[in-house]
Amino acid sequence: MADHLFNKQAAIYSEARPRYPSEWFSMLAALTPQHSVAWDVGTGNGQAAIGVAEQYKKVIATDISDEQLKHAIPHPQVQYVHTPLAMSDDELVSLIGGEDSVDLITAATAVQWFDLDRFYPIVKRVLRKPGGIIAVWCYGSMEFSPEIDGILRRFFELGIPFQSQSFKIALQCYKTLPFPFESVGVGCEGQPLELDMRKEMSFQGLLKFLRSLPVVHIAKEEGVDLLPEELLKEFERAWGEPEMVRTAIYKTYMLAGKVKL
C-alpha cells in the first residue's frame, strides 16, 4: 500500500516536505567511529540522504517507489537505488555492501511503513559490529499559532477513521514502535528523543504539505475529502495575508541504537 500511495504523491511530496537540520546528521556521525558507508532506507526524494552525505563518504539511498526516486535530489555521494519488494533479503544485503559493512542506517519518517520482521534482521546483518548504528525519526504535529493549530487538530481528527496502523505509529511519536536495539543515548524503545524542526512556510506550502499526507489520499479513495473548501477557507482566514510566511515547528521524535551483542 505504501508504494501505491507514495507513487501517486511523489511530485508534491518532493516540494512539500521539510529538509532535516544538518545538526542532526553531525550528532549521528559523532556516534559512529567510521564514516565510509551509510544506508538511507525509504529515502523518498532523498531529503535525509543528502544530509547524511555531508558526513559519510558514500550513501546508498533506497526506496520501493520508483516514482519517488524520479524526484530525488542529486548529490555526488548519493547512489539512488530502486529496491522492489520482490528483491530478496540476500540481494538487498549484497546491494548495500554485504554483512558488517554499514556505519549508519537512517529511516526518516519511513520505518512505520516497513515490514519490521523483515527489515530489522537485515539491519542486524549489514550494520558494522561494533560501531554501526541505526537512527529512525518521524515528525508528528506542526505548530504555527493557537488558531491555526486548532484547525490542524480538527483536520487530523477528521482523518482518524482513515489512518492505517502505520500512520498511527507515527502519530504516536514512535512511542509504540518496536526498536530492538541498544540505546546510544538518542532515545530508547518507548522513549524517543524529542526534537524541534523549523521550516519557513507559505500558505500554499501548508496546503501542499497537507495534500501530501497519505491519509488524505486514503480518504479520497474512499470518497471522502479531508480538505473541503470550507476547511481551506478557515485555514486561509487564520493564516492572514496570502503572501505571509510563517515558521512551522515540527515536533520530531528520534530513536538511535546499535546491535545488541
Side-chain angles (χ1 to χ4, degrees):
M1 183 188 71
D3 185 21
H4 165 63
L5 288 173
F6 289 110
N7 275 342
K8 292 184 68 174
Q9 63 193 38
I12 191 172
Y13 188 100
S14 67
E15 297 177 15
R17 297 304 175 102
R19 299 284 180 89
Y20 300 109
S22 59
E23 294 82 2
W24 294 5
F25 302 109
S26 299
M27 173 183 70
L28 295 173
L31 297 173
T32 67
Q34 297 188 57
H35 303 91
S36 298
V37 178
W39 176 26
D40 185 47
V41 197
T43 194
N45 61 17
Q47 290 155 314
I50 59 171
V52 175
E54 298 305 313
Q55 303 291 334
Y56 292 80
K57 294 176 183 177
K58 179 182 179 181
V59 179
I60 301 165
T62 63
D63 205 290
I64 64 171
S65 170
D66 191 39
E67 192 64 29
Q68 281 276 0
L69 293 174
K70 290 177 183 177
H71 298 273
I73 306 161
H75 191 288
Q77 289 159 232
V78 178
Q79 176 187 355
Y80 292 105
V81 184
H82 180 221
T83 51
L85 289 173
M87 180 177 287
S88 72
D89 294 359
D90 287 343
E91 286 176 313
L92 186 54
V93 168
S94 177
L95 170 72
I96 300 307
E99 303 202 7
D100 294 293
S101 64
V102 177
D103 302 303
L104 174 69
I105 295 174
T106 54
T109 317
V111 76
Q112 68 269 19
W113 299 104
F114 299 171
D115 176 353
L116 297 181
D117 289 336
R118 181 185 181 193
F119 175 60
Y120 283 154
I122 294 172
V123 168
K124 292 173 182 179
R125 289 176 64 181
V126 301
L127 272 183
R128 289 192 195 277
K129 296 176 281 292
I133 68 167
I134 175 175
V136 301
W137 63 88
C138 71
Y139 44 83
S141 62
M142 284 192 300
E143 297 178 358
F144 290 95
S145 71
E147 187 176 4
I148 296 172
D149 296 349
I151 302 171
L152 280 170
R153 279 193 295 273
R154 283 197 286 116
F155 162 76
F156 282 109
E157 287 168 3
L158 288 172
I160 288 174
F162 307 99
Q163 291 169 1
S164 66
Q165 186 57 40
S166 297
F167 194 65
K168 288 177 182 177
I169 289 173
L171 287 180
Q172 292 160 353
C173 313
Y174 280 6
K175 292 176 182 176
T176 59
L177 175 74
F179 194 71
F181 299 94
E182 184 178 337
S183 176
V184 291
V186 181
C188 61
E189 187 175 55
Q191 295 180 308
L193 174 68
E194 183 173 331
L195 300 163
D196 283 347
M197 176 170 59
R198 288 171 166 78
K199 175 180 171 67
E200 298 301 300
M201 187 176 289
S202 66
F203 179 64
Q204 288 302 313
L206 171 64
L207 296 187
K208 285 183 178 180
F209 174 82
L210 295 177
R211 286 169 177 154
S212 77
L213 294 173
V215 70
V216 171
H217 294 265
I218 294 171
K220 189 173 183 179
E221 289 180 348
E222 297 188 25
V224 177
D225 184 3
L226 293 183
L227 291 168
E229 190 63 30
E230 56 268 28
L231 185 63
L232 295 180
K233 288 188 181 299
E234 279 193 67
F235 274 121
E236 189 172 13
R237 286 193 295 270
W239 191 270
E241 295 297 322
E243 65 275 10
M244 180 182 293
V245 174
R246 291 180 176 270
T247 300
I249 301 175
Y250 293 80
K251 309 306 288 187
T252 310
Y253 304 88
M254 181 180 288
L255 293 161
K258 60 184 178 180
V259 176
K260 296 176 181 178
L261 300 176

